[in-house]
Amino acid sequence: MLIGLISDTHIPDRARILPQNVIDTFNDVDLILHAGDLTSPKVLEELEGIAPVMAVQGNMDRANGIDLPKARVIEVDDLRIGLIHGEVYPRADSQQLLYLARELNADILVSGHSHQPKIKQSEGILLLNPGSPIVPRLADRTVMLLEINDNEVDVEIVKIGSPVCSALDFDKYKRD
């Protein structure tokens, strides 16, 4: 099974539509997992035009009144995939994410919130963060592809575009 992983799309507050590169990357997937901060249900509609979608609520979804589960678990082969937004502080803290994965009894945990892609194996649990295809933080715009065949797992970070972090916009600091 080929699964597209995406998070932190922030549409329409940070972009009007999903980049075409996301749609092209997910063209052959069997399922899409969105780890929250859609900020508009229209993102789900657009992704559902590609493949079935499972999504969870992010902090900005709550702020926008989007009612989604806070966590979901799916089974592929004999593996349990947990899906959360990953609101832990400091952001992307592996120990806290590992704890949440254990609460879900997950072999793989997909989370977002940090806007930075991450693949980390910790204590037998695979922690994945697809980053953000719209507003990455000190990273490229990314999504992920997760392939599971006969309990064998392969993960790929797919670069969607160049970094767009406003912290790197040095033009706003020009001298006279």
Side-chain angles (χ1 to χ4, degrees), residues 1 75-80 148-152:
M1 173 179 260
E75 292 188 27
V76 177
D77 293 345
D78 295 327
L79 299 172
R80 289 177 53 90
I148 301 174
N149 289 312
D150 296 323
N151 293 319
E152 293 292 320

Side-chain angles (χ1 to χ4, degrees), residues 7 49 52-53 67 115 125 137 147 150 154 159:
S7 185
V53 179
D67 188 26
H115 296 223
I125 296 173
R137 289 193 178 111
E147 188 167 12
D150 296 323
D154 187 31
K159 182 178 171 180

